[in-house]
Amino acid sequence: MIELKIEIKIDTQIDEPYITICVSKLTPAIQAAISLLQQENEQILTGTANNKVHIIEPHTVIVIRTEGKELVLYSDDGNRVIMSKPLYELEQQLGDDFIRISKSAIINPRKIRNIEASFNGTMEIELILGIKEVISRNYKKTFKERLGV
């Protein structure tokens, strides 16, 4: 077993924390530690369903959309949870990994099955689990640019 030296510097001038790892070679244990540190930095979402709070990992999100007066998140494990934050806040929190497709929905582009053009200038998208959404004309250009189509 190798002795691991850890040095922590507290500096109030640092805006974002960073980590430097000094090794002679990249081992599976070091790789696992890096993965763990990266996961710790990932944001999580919370929503409610059946009077319970659910923790949702962003990479599992398929779509977040308004349904009537509720903001609903669908995840790839089949969960449907009600979100308490407004859509624009969730969009900011999730960042560039998600795409706004209409005033009422943002999607995870990694969950797209297919895209079909409609006769009225909109596009229909099918996501995993058979979830369908319409990409409105106002968001179509940005959507195509983000996907490179």
Side-chain angles (χ1 to χ4, degrees):
M1 180 175 229
I2 298 173
E3 185 178 321
L4 181 64
K5 296 178 183 176
I6 298 174
E7 181 180 337
I8 298 175
K9 293 181 182 179
I10 299 174
D11 184 346
T12 57
Q13 303 302 311
I14 295 175
D15 293 328
E16 278 192 44
Y18 66 91
I19 296 172
T20 303
I21 300 175
C22 302
V23 295
S24 59
K25 66 179 183 177
L26 194 57
T27 65
I30 299 295
Q31 196 69 358
I34 291 168
S35 293
L36 183 62
L37 289 167
Q38 288 172 331
Q39 286 175 2
E40 186 65 30
N41 198 29
E42 186 177 278
Q43 301 240 359
I44 58 167
L45 304 171
T46 57
T48 57
N50 301 321
N51 295 321
K52 295 178 185 174
V53 174
H54 293 258
I55 307 293
I56 303 111
E57 302 266 350
H59 68 273
T60 67
V61 175
I62 301 170
V63 63
I64 304 172
R65 66 182 181 195
T66 56
E67 293 180 359
K69 293 185 179 189
E70 295 179 326
L71 184 62
V72 179
L73 178 149
Y74 289 90
S75 59
D76 58 14
D77 57 5
N79 281 338
R80 177 189 183 275
V81 296
I82 308 300
M83 306 302 290
S84 59
K85 289 184 178 178
L87 188 59
Y88 74 90
E89 279 187 27
L90 292 169
E91 181 179 21
Q92 288 173 348
Q93 182 178 349
L94 293 167
D96 291 337
D97 293 337
F98 287 74
I99 302 173
R100 169 83 71 148
I101 60 166
S102 68
K103 285 167 108 177
S104 61
I106 57 176
I107 63 158
N108 183 342
R110 288 172 216 74
K111 308 295 181 177
I112 296 172
R113 274 199 185 148
N114 60 63
I115 306 163
E116 185 178 344
S118 275
F119 64 91
N120 63 357
T122 62
M123 298 172 77
E124 188 173 285
I125 187 167
E126 183 179 355
L127 302 157
I128 64 170
L129 301 181
I131 298 170
K132 293 185 179 183
E133 281 292 325
V134 172
I135 303 167
S136 70
R137 288 189 299 260
N138 294 341
Y139 293 89
K140 187 167 75 170
K141 181 181 178 194
T142 305
F143 175 81
K144 286 176 147 185
E145 287 171 357
R146 290 280 309 275
L147 286 187
V149 293

